[in-house]
C-alpha cells in the first residue's frame, strides 16, 4: 500500500472464487498474497509458515470458523492486522469479532472501490497504532 | 413454483432456535465503522507483545 515493502497478506475463505476475487483486489493494491487458506485451521498453519502482516478472514468456514481462528491468531500475535471479511454482519457478530481482537469487520458485498479503501484505511490505522505503541514503549 | 432456498434455510434455523422470530439486522458498513470507532475510543492502545 503506502509501505515500501509489500504488505504480506494471508487470505482465509472456503470459497475459491472469493479467494480469487480478494487476491485480485489486494494484489491490485500492491500487496503480496503469501497464503490462501480454506479454513481457520489452515489459516493458523499458514500464519506460522508465512508471517503475514495482514490476515483477511471469512467467518463461515468448515473445520475451524473465522472467529475461532481470530482468537487463536490473537494468541499468536497482537501485531498482525486481522480483518474479518464476511457476509455475517449482525451487531452481535461484529461485536464478538472486535472483542476478540479483529481490527475491523468488512462486508463482502461492498463495492470494489469502497472495499479497497476500507482495507487501506484499516492498514494505515493499524500501522499508526503500532507506531504509537512503539513510541509509548520507548 | 419457485423456492427461495435462503429463506427456507433461515426458517429452518429459526425453528431450531425455538421458533422465535429473531431477525438479526445486518449492519451497514457505516454502522460497523461507527461501532469499531467507539471501541477504539473506549480502548486505549494496549502495550504491544513481547
Amino acid at each position: 500500500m503506502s509501505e515500501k515493502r509489500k504488505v504480506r497478506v494471508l487470505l482465509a475463505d472456503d470459497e475459491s472464487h472469493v479467494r480469487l476475487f480478494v487476491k485480485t483486489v489486494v494484489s491490485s493494491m500492491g500487496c503480496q498474497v503469501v497464503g490462501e487458506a480454506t479454513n481457520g485451521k489452515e489459516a493458523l498453519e499458514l500464519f506460522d509458515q508465512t508471517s503475514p502482516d495482514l490476515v483477511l478472514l471469512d467467518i463461515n468456514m468448515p473445520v475451524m470458523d473465522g472467529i475461532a481462528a481470530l482468537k487463536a491468531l490473537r494468541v499468536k500475535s497482537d501485531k498482525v492486522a486481522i480483518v474479518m471479511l464476511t457476509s455475517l454482519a449482525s451487531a452481535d457478530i461484529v461485536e464478538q469479532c472486535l472483542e476478540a481482537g479483529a481490527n475491523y469487520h468488512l462486508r463482502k458485498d461492498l463495492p470494489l472501490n469502497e472495499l479497497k479503501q476500507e482495507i487501506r484505511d484499516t492498514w494505515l490505522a493499524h500501522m499508526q497504532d503500532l507506531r504509537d505503541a512503539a513510541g509509548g514503549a520507548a | 413454483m419457485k423456492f427461495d432456498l435462503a429463506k427456507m434455510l433461515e426458517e429452518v434455523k429459526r425453528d431450531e432456535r425455538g421458533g422465535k422470530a429473531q431477525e438479526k439486522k445486518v449492519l451497514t458498513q457505516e454502522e460497523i465503522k461507527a461501532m469499531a470507532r467507539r471501541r477504539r475510543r473506549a480502548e486505549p492502545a494496549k502495550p504491544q507483545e513481547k
Side-chain angles (χ1 to χ4, degrees), chain A residues 62-113:
Chain A
V63 185
M64 177 189 271
D65 68 39
I67 295 178
L70 164 66
K71 290 174 180 171
L73 286 169
R74 271 290 168 248
V75 171
K76 289 173 181 283
S77 170
D78 61 3
K79 285 186 178 167
V80 66
I82 305 176
V83 175
M84 310 309 286
L85 183 57
T86 174
S87 46
L88 297 181
S90 60
D92 57 340
I93 289 184
V94 174
E95 187 61 42
Q96 196 180 344
C97 292
L98 294 174
E99 178 69 34
N103 291 69
Y104 199 36
H105 197 106
L106 283 173
R107 286 175 51 144
K108 271 182 185 168
D109 58 353
L110 280 183
L112 183 58
N113 285 344

Side-chain angles (χ1 to χ4, degrees), chain A residues 105-123:
Chain A
H105 197 106
L106 283 173
R107 286 175 51 144
K108 271 182 185 168
D109 58 353
L110 280 183
L112 183 58
N113 285 344
E114 210 175 316
L115 182 63
K116 286 183 178 181
Q117 191 60 50
E118 294 282 7
I119 293 172
R120 189 175 289 116
D121 288 351
T122 305
W123 173 252

